[in-house]
Amino acid sequence: MLPVLYPFGTQEQWLKNAPAFFDQADMSDIRRLLEKKIIPLKFGPEIAIYLGISPKLVSHMVMAPRRYYNTFEITKKNGGRRLITSPRVFLKTIQRYVLDCVLSQITPHDAAVGFRRGLNCAAGARRHVGRPYVWNIDLSNFFPTITKKQVTDVFAKVGYPDRAAHFLAGLCCLEDRLPQGAPTSPALANLIIQPLDSELTAIAESAEATYTRYADDMTFSFQELIPVEFRTRVVRSIENSGFTLNAKKTRLMGPAVRREVTGLTINEKVSIPRHKRREVRAYFHRLSRSPEQYVDHRQKALGYARWLFDYHPSEGAKALEIVHRIPQPELHQ
């Protein structure tokens, strides 16, 4: 293991302690990557050395990725089922390293408001506050639509040699597609869909509309009625990019109804819809009656409380008080 190279460290550390497989001819490429705060790679498997694990193991993850994933289903809001392919611990650790030391250093399009440091659901929703006409559309099979070739191109554009770009794509893909559940998938999707974000932003600006995207959830808002011609242009642009719309999740909302973006109300300000707040209040009421019975739900409850606090501080503060009454798992045992 190279302890001075993990975690990322500084450019000076890397140049001083560059591994033996980098020679003098590689130094200019190394410097270009380090200036972007991106880990240098020449072949790909050496990423294992930085993490103190076997390059042979990491290479096997690329050659036989199916062995390093768990597959399960979750229930969606509409009652349907979504297939999740979650990487096992070792592969997830490597993917998080790639996310932190490569992908997170590259800025996606400004319209992409999801899965970015410092941004959350509210970041996109705020851009649509007070606009009376809203069009929400959803992309079908968002992650599986993205190919390994597109992922390889992202790493190549970063500045990696072909072998390293192909290897990194192998670490991030399953069956030549982006898996739903890998920590690298949202960031890669943001970068791959960047040309479409640019095109849709231009279309929106030409119609004096606002456009944002949170993963596969796209939102357009207007001050006036949304023209049919505008919607036709958007759909055509999306389909030309290789994606398809989920017609069942397309919604047009006007001034007479509650308008929502990424599950948040945006009529006058960003807030949690009333029906959802009632559900959350009922949830914390149950917890308050017997907090010791919800030890295994502590993290979930904390997430709900913080979410509530972000938009309704007084209610969120009460919820946080209830969470603090739930015993810590290790203390409970």
Side-chain angles (χ1 to χ4, degrees):
M1 184 177 179
L2 301 170
V4 293
L5 301 184
Y6 179 82
F8 186 84
T10 65
Q11 180 173 337
E12 291 72 22
Q13 284 177 311
W14 271 91
L15 293 173
K16 181 180 178 181
N17 300 279
F21 42 77
F22 289 117
D23 54 38
Q24 195 60 37
D26 300 317
M27 285 300 122
S28 60
D29 293 331
I30 289 177
R31 288 180 185 276
R32 278 195 291 270
L33 291 170
L34 290 174
E35 286 171 1
K36 302 176 187 176
K37 297 185 178 180
I38 290 173
I39 53 170
L41 293 171
K42 186 173 182 178
F43 307 109
E46 66 267 28
I47 193 174
I49 299 174
Y50 306 162
L51 291 165
I53 57 180
S54 165
K56 184 177 180 180
L57 171 62
V58 177
S59 296
H60 192 256
M61 293 175 181
V62 173
M63 291 185 292
R66 172 54 67 183
R67 296 188 180 185
Y68 298 92
Y69 282 88
N70 292 315
T71 301
F72 56 93
E73 289 185 335
I74 61 172
T75 303
K76 297 191 288 187
K77 291 180 180 179
N78 62 6
R81 307 289 289 175
R82 185 191 300 277
L83 185 67
I84 301 295
T85 43
S86 178
R88 296 178 185 270
V89 174
F90 271 167
L91 178 55
K92 182 177 287 188
T93 298
I94 297 169
Q95 288 175 341
R96 289 195 182 281
Y97 188 54
V98 172
L99 175 62
D100 291 340
C101 298
V102 182
L103 301 174
S104 293
Q105 310 308 320
I106 310 166
T107 304
H109 193 279
D110 184 60
V113 295
F115 305 100
R116 295 176 60 180
R117 288 174 180 169
L119 298 180
N120 56 21
C121 293
R126 288 192 184 98
R127 302 187 194 181
H128 303 280
V129 170
R131 298 176 70 84
Y133 296 93
V134 177
W135 182 33
N136 280 340
I137 57 180
D138 184 85
L139 301 181
S140 295
N141 299 315
F142 181 53
F143 292 118
T145 297
I146 295 172
T147 66
K148 184 178 180 181
K149 169 67 167 58
Q150 291 173 297
V151 175
T152 303
D153 289 345
V154 166
F155 290 115
K157 289 177 182 177
V158 168
Y160 286 117
D162 289 345
R163 286 180 62 178
H166 187 78
F167 190 89
L168 288 170
L171 287 173
C172 298
C173 291
L174 176 64
E175 297 174 353
D176 294 332
R177 302 283 172 171
L178 272 190
Q180 177 100 32
T184 43
S185 290
L188 281 165
N190 276 346
L191 298 174
I192 289 163
I193 205 173
Q194 194 164 11
L196 177 58
D197 283 335
S198 297
E199 188 172 338
L200 294 179
T201 296
I203 292 173
E205 289 176 349
S206 70
E208 298 184 351
T210 298
Y211 162 66
T212 61
R213 179 182 57 80
Y214 189 96
D216 57 357
D217 189 347
M218 295 175 165
T219 300
F220 299 85
S221 61
F222 285 73
Q223 293 291 357
E224 307 291 339
L225 280 170
I226 304 175
V228 174
E229 296 80 5
F230 175 85
R231 286 184 276 154
T232 300
R233 287 183 67 192
V234 168
V235 171
R236 186 185 302 120
S237 177
I238 290 170
E239 292 177 345
N240 287 343
S241 296
F243 294 94
T244 56
L245 265 64
N246 184 344
K248 294 180 180 179
K249 297 184 73 174
T250 296
R251 293 185 299 165
L252 281 168
M253 294 166 282
V257 301
R258 182 184 69 239
R259 300 182 297 284
E260 293 185 13
V261 174
T262 55
L264 298 169
T265 302
I266 58 159
N267 286 35
E268 297 178 358
K269 64 178 182 178
V270 176
S271 61
I272 300 172
R274 290 180 182 176
H275 71 280
K276 189 64 181 179
R277 285 170 65 188
R278 285 196 295 268
E279 291 177 8
V280 173
R281 281 198 296 265
Y283 173 77
F284 281 107
H285 177 68
R286 292 195 296 272
L287 262 64
S288 67
R289 297 177 64 180
S290 51
E292 69 282 351
Q293 296 183 14
Y294 290 88
V295 174
D296 294 337
H297 294 255
R298 197 176 196 280
Q299 282 302 116
K300 176 183 176 181
L302 183 60
Y304 272 133
R306 288 174 174 169
W307 179 59
L308 188 61
F309 185 84
D310 284 343
Y311 307 104
H312 305 279
S314 61
E315 294 180 35
K318 294 177 182 177
L320 285 169
E321 289 179 6
I322 295 171
V323 173
H324 293 323
R325 288 157 49 192
I326 300 174
Q328 292 280 2
E330 63 273 16
L331 296 178
H332 187 258
Q333 295 171 358

